Amino acid sequence: MNYTFQAMTQEQAEEIATNWHYNDEYSFYDMDADQEDLQEFLDAEKRNESYFMVIKNKEVIGFYSFNQITKDTIDIGLGMKPNLTGNGNGLEFLKNGLEFAKSKYNPKEITLSVATFNQRAIKVYKKVGFKEEETFVQATNGSSFEFLKMVLLC
């Protein structure tokens, strides 16, 4: 694994919340787009030990969250540094995150949820073997949005 995963610090969480802003429709993923999500992200106790910064060549390139749903299931969330998105970096970033999840948690399955408009991400998830499970509507960012739940069998 050529990526390093380190527990997210409060300073790093604040840096992401304040300075990571995505372009166009991807601004949906800005941390300050939903105040409830932002408060949770900035609360070190709620982040607990489930958020990790991803470092490559001594540079922060993104973060992951890993939530143990059951003994055998890990749900992941992820975010790449905005200036690195849309440039073909996603597949390697995802593969390394999945390897970390498998080595740390030894799950039988890994799940994630992605906004259905984000076809760029869905394409990458499918490349590594995630399968579509179901769509659902969730209130966030001041409205309701459709999400796709995806599952990867380990």
Side-chain angles (χ1 to χ4, degrees), residues 51-148:
Y51 279 80
F52 292 84
M53 296 303 293
V54 183
I55 316 291
K56 181 180 180 187
N57 300 327
K58 300 182 182 177
E59 181 186 342
V60 169
I61 62 164
F63 70 90
Y64 271 87
S65 66
F66 302 97
N67 295 303
Q68 189 114 31
I69 304 302
T70 69
K71 177 174 137 333
D72 296 325
T73 303
I74 293 293
D75 187 70
I76 65 170
L78 57 144
M80 282 187 78
K81 201 169 189 177
N83 66 328
L84 300 176
T85 63
N87 299 315
N89 298 307
L91 186 60
E92 183 182 16
F93 179 72
L94 179 61
K95 285 180 177 179
N96 279 272
L98 294 174
E99 286 306 311
F100 179 79
K102 290 174 185 176
S103 68
K104 183 167 178 65
Y105 302 100
N106 194 30
K108 290 186 178 168
E109 66 178 17
I110 298 173
T111 62
L112 61 79
S113 296
V114 57
T116 55
F117 77 80
N118 193 349
Q119 290 300 307
R120 183 171 76 184
I122 292 169
K123 183 178 173 185
V124 174
Y125 299 148
K126 286 181 176 181
K127 273 188 182 176
V128 298
F130 275 92
K131 304 287 185 219
E132 296 182 16
E133 184 169 272
E134 64 181 341
T135 58
F136 61 95
V137 174
Q138 181 173 320
T140 188
N141 298 20
S143 190
S144 293
F145 295 90
E146 185 178 65
F147 285 84
L148 174 62

Side-chain angles (χ1 to χ4, degrees), residues 1-94:
M1 191 183 320
N2 56 3
Y3 287 35
T4 304
F5 288 74
Q6 300 172 351
M8 183 183 287
T9 66
Q10 184 64 28
E11 183 179 335
Q12 290 167 326
E14 291 172 9
E15 165 72 16
I16 291 167
T18 304
N19 297 317
W20 286 27
H21 297 287
Y22 299 91
N23 293 327
D24 305 318
E25 70 267 24
Y26 298 104
S27 66
F28 174 85
Y29 292 106
D30 290 358
M31 281 296 167
D32 60 3
D34 185 282
Q35 289 304 304
E36 189 176 319
D37 290 346
L38 175 63
Q39 287 176 356
E40 185 173 315
F41 185 75
L42 290 175
D43 185 328
E45 197 172 293
K46 288 184 180 171
R47 268 195 331 273
N48 198 359
E49 296 175 11
S50 63
Y51 279 80
F52 292 84
M53 296 303 293
V54 183
I55 316 291
K56 181 180 180 187
N57 300 327
K58 300 182 182 177
E59 181 186 342
V60 169
I61 62 164
F63 70 90
Y64 271 87
S65 66
F66 302 97
N67 295 303
Q68 189 114 31
I69 304 302
T70 69
K71 177 174 137 333
D72 296 325
T73 303
I74 293 293
D75 187 70
I76 65 170
L78 57 144
M80 282 187 78
K81 201 169 189 177
N83 66 328
L84 300 176
T85 63
N87 299 315
N89 298 307
L91 186 60
E92 183 182 16
F93 179 72
L94 179 61

